[in-house]
Amino acid sequence: MRALWARALWANVEEVFREAAARFTLVAYFALSTVFILLFAAAVNLDVVDGALAGAKLFGKEIEMRGGKVEIDKLVLGFEMGFSAVLYLVGTFLAIFATAHLVPRLQEKGTIDLYLSRPIGRVPLLLSRYAGGLLLAAFNVAYLMVSIWLIVGIKTGVWNERFLFGGGIILFAIATLLAFAFLVGVVTSSTAVSIMTSYGLFFMASILTAHEKIAAAMSMDWGASLVHAGYWVLPKTAQLGQAIVVLVSGGTGMHRPPPPVDPWAVYGTTGLFGLLALTWACWLFSRKDF
Amino acid sequence: MASALSVHALEKVFRNGFSRREIRALSGIDFEVAPGEVFGLLGPNGAGKTTTVKILLGLTFPTKGEARILGLSARSPESRRRTGYLPEGHRFPGYLTARQTLSIFGRMAGLSRGEVEQRIPALLSRVRLPEWADVKVKKFSKGMTQRLGLAAALIHKPEVLLLDEPTDGVDPVGRREIRDLLREEAARGTAILLNSHLLSEIELTCDRVTVLRKGSVAATGTIKDLTGASALGVSSQVRYRMVAYGMTPSLVGGIQQLDASIAQTNGHFELSVRDYAHLNQVIDRLRAEGAELRELTPLRSSLEDVFVDLVKTGDLDSPEVKPS
């Protein structure tokens, strides 16, 4: 019985990839990532002498070397910290854009009948779509991270493995936002609404990082409470970006150490939000009349 | 014999929008389909046919009552392990080829890749699409998509087939082939539930039918029972086509005095009598008056007549024909 289910679910994951390939989502997804990688490769020109940086150009512009030479390890660390934060934004936004349609398309009239008439439970069906979407995003994040890491490594001879681990946090953020996109997709059956609300959630949650300041500026107590509650309930998108930088840097920045990250406040609440969103999506999907 | 598919006291009430206004789609319907039987579900738009099929497939949940497939509750995904379904207006992913479509939907039904690959060529031949195996579905005509849908419904050799408008968009030759295919499946023991607006298709294919009206069963029975019942039930008379020589006006008047109805139409007479005894009384009178009877044929209502009668009159208390 388990083998039958595994076949059915794997066929569904495969279908997600075939759909992405056929609708040029996959091509566009990887093409955009490749453009980003090529731009990066072309933009960075480093002149390394005896393990130290004698000269550097970024997008053709000379970088000022304070006191002559800069240790190449530190420069690479700085590069990778900055690019991990950029990749966090690019990777997350591309992933949501490429996968938010999975539920609305599934729920289309004439399509949902074909899927639900197979001997797969509704929850496994939705979760296999989620797994397919996440796998697609994981391939892209891996492609972006490994390519940048290779380019930096080849150009400088410095290989910072922590940069690669940053991909795990990006994927964690994608998993959380994709769960939310699935929830919106189940309720509205609209790809556009799924994408817009997921991006909105990302920015809203980032703004709420300053919840203390926002709440202090509010005249009404209930408003302040709402802001605090929003901060604790919503995923910590800004802090996740910060966590990636901390992870890549190994806890030390070039000029000043980044602030520490509270694991529960960042990963715990974000993970819980994603889990609840996905559970809610599954519950609604399992009760829906088509 | 245990039924392959059964529906008992099935009710469905949809609640619409924020007002939660109730729309009653089904009001306690019952029917059963035996293995090897082709069963037709008839009714005007909004009668509850599609809702019934959707409940049987777990696409929609009943408000009350029970639907079972091969003894399993329709709510259980396992009930669909041996069920094939062809939905109306289905949309297979256009980017897949016929072979890929059958492979993915076959594996979703629990078949291994090997089993699926082995079955695809024969199945595509059976639905007359062998040369289209590696063509993308978006290039298919409506009739071809329909035949592919039938192949996808059959890929896992189901014991129950639920078909919603299976001949929609299919040419007359294709229709006949689909009818033959359904007959073959039924002969193999597959129970088939056919939902169609094409009454002629139902008449040609189905062993029994249920007519739904406003979410209730208006009539159930074999085509013969229903058409016969209509002739009896609607007019309380049995009608005959009669050809006879020597029919004088006085003889016609004499027959009418016997409480029979007789009218001349296109060179023959249409005679309506209460029963066989009444018929024999009329024939005795004819012969006594010297008329020569050449032909006497019972007139049956077509399924369309029955359907229109049942739907138009809306008389849910009209005699229900029990399954024979």
Side-chain angles (χ1 to χ4, degrees):
Chain A
M1 185 63 74
R2 197 172 288 174
L4 298 180
W5 273 69
R7 280 177 203 155
L9 297 180
W10 182 247
N12 201 27
V13 171
E14 182 187 318
E15 214 271 308
V16 169
F17 273 79
R18 279 190 190 278
E19 182 180 357
R23 295 187 191 277
F24 297 105
T25 312
L26 200 64
V27 177
Y29 196 12
F30 279 85
L32 279 174
S33 305
T34 306
V35 167
F36 182 82
I37 291 162
L38 291 176
L39 270 176
F40 176 79
V44 180
N45 281 302
L46 303 173
D47 182 12
V48 181
V49 179
D50 295 333
L53 190 67
K57 278 183 183 175
L58 191 60
F59 290 102
K61 212 174 172 184
E62 199 83 37
I63 297 176
E64 194 186 333
M65 296 285 117
R66 287 179 194 168
K69 290 185 177 179
V70 171
E71 276 181 46
I72 190 66
D73 297 39
K74 282 196 171 178
L75 185 87
V76 167
L77 201 62
F79 259 142
E80 290 185 341
M81 283 162 65
F83 272 100
S84 60
V86 173
L87 285 181
Y88 170 57
L89 270 177
V90 171
T92 306
F93 277 58
L94 278 179
I96 295 301
F97 193 76
T99 53
H101 66 275
L102 289 173
V103 171
R105 285 235 175 96
L106 174 72
Q107 293 192 150
E108 280 175 6
K109 193 171 159 46
T111 301
I112 188 70
D113 316 52
L114 292 169
Y115 287 87
L116 290 186
S117 62
R118 302 286 144 176
I120 315 174
R122 290 188 180 200
V123 171
L125 175 68
L126 192 72
L127 290 180
S128 63
R129 300 286 278 189
Y130 180 76
L134 208 54
L135 209 56
L136 193 68
F139 278 129
N140 187 256
V141 168
Y143 176 60
L144 275 168
M145 299 299 281
V146 172
S147 303
I148 300 281
W149 182 71
L150 283 173
I151 291 167
V152 171
I154 290 165
K155 288 207 171 196
T156 65
V158 178
W159 302 94
N160 176 19
E161 289 81 10
R162 284 193 305 272
F163 179 73
L164 294 177
F165 298 142
I169 301 179
I170 296 177
L171 203 59
F172 176 66
I174 291 171
T176 305
L177 287 174
L178 188 60
F180 180 71
F182 265 50
L183 173 61
V184 177
V186 168
V187 175
T188 67
S189 294
S190 163
T191 302
V193 174
S194 297
I195 292 173
M196 283 192 293
T197 50
S198 301
Y199 289 175
L201 174 70
F202 188 96
F203 286 119
M204 177 63 77
S206 298
I207 290 166
L208 286 179
T209 307
H211 65 110
E212 298 284 3
K213 286 179 186 168
I214 298 169
M218 295 189 106
S219 55
M220 285 166 289
D221 285 348
W222 66 266
S225 303
L226 198 67
V227 169
H228 287 307
Y231 170 75
W232 285 106
V233 169
L234 298 183
K236 309 295 176 287
T237 48
Q239 287 96 325
L240 281 174
Q242 189 188 329
I244 294 169
V245 175
V246 171
L247 178 73
V248 171
S249 71
T252 55
M254 277 188 73
H255 302 298
R256 59 187 170 86
V261 169
D262 173 7
W264 160 245
V266 176
Y267 301 110
T269 56
T270 304
L272 196 61
F273 177 88
L275 195 64
L276 285 175
L278 195 59
T279 307
W280 197 5
C282 288
W283 185 75
L284 288 175
F285 188 66
S286 67
R287 294 168 55 89
K288 204 168 180 177
D289 277 336
F290 290 100
Chain B
M1 186 185 289
S3 59
L5 190 155
S6 67
V7 159
H8 177 62
L10 201 62
E11 284 187 35
K12 178 65 187 177
V13 178
F14 289 105
R15 291 181 201 285
N16 197 23
F18 288 111
S19 64
R20 312 298 286 159
R21 192 169 62 89
E22 285 192 359
I23 298 169
R24 184 165 288 274
L26 293 175
S27 307
I29 65 164
D30 298 86
F31 64 82
E32 292 189 350
V33 184
E37 184 178 29
V38 185
F39 189 89
L41 208 51
L42 284 175
N45 293 334
K49 307 184 299 290
T50 301
T51 303
T52 306
V53 173
K54 284 188 169 185
I55 289 174
L56 281 164
L57 286 156
L59 286 158
T60 294
F61 302 110
T63 307
K64 273 187 191 168
E66 193 182 45
R68 300 186 84 83
I69 292 180
L70 300 166
L72 296 166
S73 166
R75 284 174 182 265
S76 157
E78 274 311 300
S79 69
R80 300 191 283 282
R81 174 95 43 217
R82 290 177 289 167
T83 305
Y85 176 46
L86 175 68
E88 184 187 10
H90 57 79
R91 295 209 325 220
F92 284 117
Y95 49 82
L96 296 177
T97 64
R99 190 189 302 280
Q100 287 166 344
T101 302
L102 293 181
S103 172
I104 283 184
F105 284 95
R107 281 182 288 140
M108 277 189 198
L111 299 179
S112 71
R113 198 179 283 271
E115 285 171 309
V116 167
E117 295 304 324
Q118 193 192 348
R119 288 182 193 182
I120 286 173
L123 204 48
L124 284 175
S125 295
R126 210 170 163 206
V127 295
R128 275 204 307 135
L129 291 172
E131 66 278 26
W132 294 84
D134 298 306
V135 177
K136 288 195 171 154
V137 173
K138 64 183 171 192
K139 308 261 187 200
F140 282 23
S141 68
K142 194 172 181 192
M144 288 162 71
T145 313
Q146 203 67 0
R147 281 186 270 144
L148 178 65
L150 202 53
L154 292 169
I155 184 83
H156 55 300
K157 296 185 177 167
E159 291 171 48
V160 173
L161 261 180
L162 304 176
L163 308 171
D164 210 343
E165 305 289 353
T167 54
D168 189 23
V170 181
D171 58 56
V173 177
R175 277 186 200 174
R176 177 171 284 189
E177 285 169 351
I178 288 176
R179 278 202 302 271
D180 292 344
L181 192 146
L182 296 184
R183 277 278 150 221
E184 282 170 31
E185 284 298 315
R188 250 180 8 96
T190 308
I192 300 172
L193 180 72
L194 193 63
N195 181 3
S196 177
H197 285 103
L198 294 173
L199 298 175
S200 55
E201 289 294 321
I202 294 269
E203 206 160 5
L204 287 166
T205 318
C206 294
D207 301 314
R208 280 194 308 136
V209 297
T210 269
V211 181
L212 293 181
R213 186 185 169 279
K214 291 183 180 172
S216 297
V217 174
T220 297
T222 62
I223 304 283
K224 194 176 164 188
D225 288 341
L226 280 181
T227 49
S230 176
L232 283 166
V234 174
S235 62
S236 301
Q237 298 274 301
V238 186
R239 292 188 301 130
Y240 291 91
R241 179 183 190 276
M242 186 178 81
V243 178
Y245 290 163
M247 292 292 291
T248 59
S250 65
L251 180 52
V252 169
I255 291 171
Q256 284 167 340
Q257 280 174 1
L258 291 173
D259 247 4
S261 159
I262 186 164
Q264 192 164 14
T265 326
N266 297 330
H268 68 272
F269 289 91
E270 274 192 23
L271 174 69
S272 294
V273 292
R274 285 190 302 276
D275 48 32
Y276 290 130
H278 194 199
L279 176 67
N280 279 293
Q281 200 183 347
V282 170
I283 292 169
D284 289 346
R285 179 67 176 267
L286 277 171
R287 298 178 77 151
E289 297 282 337
E292 188 182 345
L293 193 59
R294 291 288 180 93
E295 188 183 321
L296 191 64
T297 317
L299 285 174
R300 301 189 71 84
S301 299
S302 70
L303 188 58
E304 189 171 304
D305 295 332
V306 177
F307 181 79
V308 171
D309 282 346
L310 285 167
V311 169
K312 258 189 169 175
T313 57
D315 180 10
L316 298 183
D317 298 321
S318 63
E320 183 169 323
V321 181
K322 296 295 173 194
S324 53

